[in-house]
Amino acid sequence: MTSTVTPARPETASGRRAPAAPGRWRRAGVLAAGAALAVAAVALQTIGLDQEERTAHLTWTGGVGEQVSASRFSARVKAVHVARAVESTGPDGKVEKATTSGVFVIAEVEATANREPQKFGTPTLLTGDGKRYAATDKVDASHTITNPFIQVGWWAESVAVFEVPAAALPGSRLVLAPRNGFIGEALLPEVEIDLGFDEATAGRLTSNAKDVYQLASKK
Amino acid sequence: MTSPPGGETGKRRPIAVPVAALVIATGLGITAALGGFAEASEKPPEQLGPGSSLDQGEFTTKFTEARSLFQRDPFDGEGKRFLEIELEVTNKSDETTGVGAPGRGKTPGFMFARSLLKMDPEIEGDLGPTVSVPDEGVPSRQLHPGMTSTVVVRYELPAGDRPPKKIKLDVGVFEEPETFNIDLGWVLAKDGDADDAPPKVAAQVTLPVNQGGTL
């Protein structure tokens, strides 16, 4: 076995013209390959996902009253209210009245799941000027859409409550996405529902804003 | 006749090099004496008083007042004393953030209140201060973009301690560093370029403590 292999080597070596040249060429080739790999590795860094891309969602969009179906759930905004204060029962059963220097936006939301039960993460209000408002913490989470399990087969109803400066209302969209686990899942589905505020409706809703919006304590 | 210019140049040449060397050596010596080529802090911290505002990058903060409060305890003659610092904080960033908490010892602070770097005198106690937006019906811990909130930092004084006459706060500022590939968001500006450099003290706020309030 070995005898058949060993004679083959001298043949190939003698087949090439100079014994020194292949070594040099090979070294140059290896260096070039190494340099190319290093360049490629550095270049790859520039196409790495940044924070925004890593936490990005697949977005389905719609308007108020429409059923917006994402891959795992469907949601619908039934109505939108603007108020100067929100009254609700706190965790200790007392009625609490939350006020704000801006206005409260209350979106009545219902949602259903397509395959498995899930819960929503904190809703976000994305305003026309590109700012992200997290749902207010002045209303206990048990009153909002983050509390119920979104089940297959029926619609869970609740609200999402935000606190924004009145001037930020035009162009606002409500963003709902399932709660992300400890190990973040990439490209979660989300729905982005345009609340239909243009300058005129926003102004009208703000000037006609209710003094107090009462959140139903129990359904 | 031709010798003087030649002699002069001959004299000048040996002098030029040692003089230059001496100037460079002196320059280096002075530089070294002043702390070398390390980045010197550009300017001393701004000195602020009650009612003044500071641009913290992510926020604009007005230092309204400091006050001491006494809470009578019907069951225990001692009662409790608190020190409160009231701030008006405007979130200038693009998203909702929280009031957070100042750092304590090795525990780093987070969000807005991590910019309250140090208070003099330090208040001893097991727990740090509570930080909240207390006066809008329901206490909140959020700071929404474009909105100004009254934030109150409340320390409970250890039993028997008198509240200080005045306090001095070291306050930092936030910046959004541009990094290669990673977005860090808003971080505290550091004093120098080193990775472990302490946060930069942008302003020192001295507030007299208004005494005698009750809870």
Side-chain angles (χ1 to χ4, degrees), chain A residues 97 99 132-135 137-138, chain B residues 94 96 136-137 140-142 145:
Chain A
K97 183 175 158 189
T99 57
R132 302 182 75 89
Y133 290 81
D137 64 353
K138 289 179 188 169
Chain B
D94 286 341
T96 298
E136 293 184 329
S140 171
R141 295 177 62 79
Q142 288 175 322

Side-chain angles (χ1 to χ4, degrees), chain A:
Chain A
M1 291 291 275
T2 47
S3 59
T4 53
V5 175
T6 36
R9 260 182 199 161
E11 267 175 39
T12 49
S14 60
R16 288 175 191 167
R17 277 174 207 161
R24 190 178 298 159
W25 281 114
R26 187 181 294 168
R27 192 175 296 167
V30 165
L31 279 174
L37 280 172
V39 167
V42 171
L44 270 177
Q45 289 294 316
T46 63
I47 62 161
L49 299 181
D50 63 22
Q51 180 72 16
E52 205 176 316
E53 288 165 329
R54 248 179 295 144
T55 55
H57 289 73
L58 290 176
T59 308
W60 280 260
T61 59
V64 173
E66 286 173 38
Q67 177 182 335
V68 186
S69 298
S71 56
R72 296 185 200 172
F73 64 93
S74 299
R76 173 161 45 208
V77 171
K78 294 197 294 180
V80 186
H81 308 280
V82 176
R84 307 218 168 266
V86 171
E87 224 172 58
S88 61
T89 31
D92 54 355
K94 272 192 284 185
V95 175
E96 291 176 327
K97 183 175 158 189
T99 57
T100 174
S101 57
V103 290
F104 285 106
V105 176
I106 302 110
E108 285 180 41
V109 191
E110 56 179 8
T112 186
N114 292 354
R115 278 193 203 86
E116 53 186 21
Q118 55 201 284
K119 280 192 168 196
F120 283 129
T122 306
T124 303
L125 192 76
L126 196 56
T127 56
D129 53 4
K131 293 183 172 158
R132 302 182 75 89
Y133 290 81
T136 182
D137 64 353
K138 289 179 188 169
V139 172
D140 195 72
S142 63
H143 297 299
T144 73
I145 193 71
T146 53
N147 188 50
F149 263 105
I150 310 302
Q151 303 275 24
V152 184
W154 76 81
W155 291 79
E157 286 180 50
S158 192
V159 292
V161 186
F162 302 94
E163 205 185 327
V164 295
L169 282 179
S172 302
R173 287 95 77 200
L174 167 69
V175 180
L176 275 175
R179 203 170 285 182
N180 210 341
F182 178 67
I183 300 169
E185 192 181 337
L187 298 174
L188 276 174
E190 70 175 12
V191 295
E192 189 179 303
I193 299 173
D194 195 322
L195 299 182
F197 290 144
D198 55 18
E199 296 281 347
T201 49
R204 187 168 46 78
L205 277 170
T206 311
S207 54
N208 297 344
K210 283 187 200 174
D211 281 338
V212 181
Y213 182 91
Q214 257 145 355
L215 283 178
S217 53
K218 282 280 179 294
K219 279 259 145 58

Side-chain angles (χ1 to χ4, degrees), chain B residues 52-123:
Chain B
S52 52
S53 295
L54 176 68
D55 183 352
Q56 291 188 286
E58 192 179 0
F59 308 97
T60 299
T61 304
K62 184 178 162 198
F63 299 87
T64 315
E65 69 158 346
R67 55 180 173 249
S68 73
L69 290 171
F70 178 69
Q71 184 181 39
R72 203 174 296 282
D73 187 342
F75 306 108
D76 173 14
E78 289 277 308
K80 285 178 179 171
R81 280 175 202 282
F82 299 94
L83 175 72
E84 283 192 349
I85 304 164
E86 188 181 309
L87 315 162
E88 299 262 320
V89 183
T90 308
N91 181 351
K92 294 195 292 173
S93 76
D94 286 341
E95 54 188 355
T96 298
T97 182
V99 292
R104 276 171 57 75
K106 280 182 183 156
T107 317
F110 61 100
M111 293 181 177
F112 163 74
R114 84 187 127 147
S115 66
L116 306 175
L117 304 172
K118 201 182 119 213
M119 186 168 81
D120 183 36
E122 215 165 312
I123 288 180

Side-chain angles (χ1 to χ4, degrees), chain B residues 8-215:
Chain B
E8 268 180 20
T9 48
K11 259 179 211 160
R12 213 177 278 155
R13 217 173 275 144
I15 285 172
V17 173
V19 162
L22 200 67
V23 166
I24 290 168
T26 314
L28 280 174
I30 291 169
T31 310
L34 291 177
F37 288 107
E39 198 180 316
S41 37
E42 304 96 55
K43 49 181 182 184
E46 212 178 329
Q47 300 295 321
L48 298 175
S52 52
S53 295
L54 176 68
D55 183 352
Q56 291 188 286
E58 192 179 0
F59 308 97
T60 299
T61 304
K62 184 178 162 198
F63 299 87
T64 315
E65 69 158 346
R67 55 180 173 249
S68 73
L69 290 171
F70 178 69
Q71 184 181 39
R72 203 174 296 282
D73 187 342
F75 306 108
D76 173 14
E78 289 277 308
K80 285 178 179 171
R81 280 175 202 282
F82 299 94
L83 175 72
E84 283 192 349
I85 304 164
E86 188 181 309
L87 315 162
E88 299 262 320
V89 183
T90 308
N91 181 351
K92 294 195 292 173
S93 76
D94 286 341
E95 54 188 355
T96 298
T97 182
V99 292
R104 276 171 57 75
K106 280 182 183 156
T107 317
F110 61 100
M111 293 181 177
F112 163 74
R114 84 187 127 147
S115 66
L116 306 175
L117 304 172
K118 201 182 119 213
M119 186 168 81
D120 183 36
E122 215 165 312
I123 288 180
E124 310 272 330
D126 297 336
L127 299 164
T130 57
V131 189
S132 69
V133 182
D135 68 345
E136 293 184 329
V138 181
S140 171
R141 295 177 62 79
Q142 288 175 322
L143 296 170
H144 296 288
M147 296 181 81
T148 303
S149 315
T150 305
V151 174
V152 171
V153 183
R154 175 191 281 190
Y155 291 85
E156 185 178 338
L157 299 172
D161 270 23
R162 291 266 139 198
K165 289 274 176 290
K166 64 171 186 179
I167 54 162
K168 192 166 84 175
L169 284 170
D170 284 3
V171 185
V173 289
F174 295 91
E175 58 183 14
E176 255 185 320
E178 280 184 29
T179 49
F180 182 65
N181 198 14
I182 308 163
D183 180 13
L184 294 171
W186 290 97
V187 296
L188 278 180
K190 284 180 176 165
D191 200 2
D193 287 335
D195 278 345
D196 57 349
K200 187 171 104 182
V201 178
Q204 290 184 315
V205 187
T206 309
L207 299 172
V209 179
N210 298 331
Q211 311 277 341
T214 49
L215 202 65

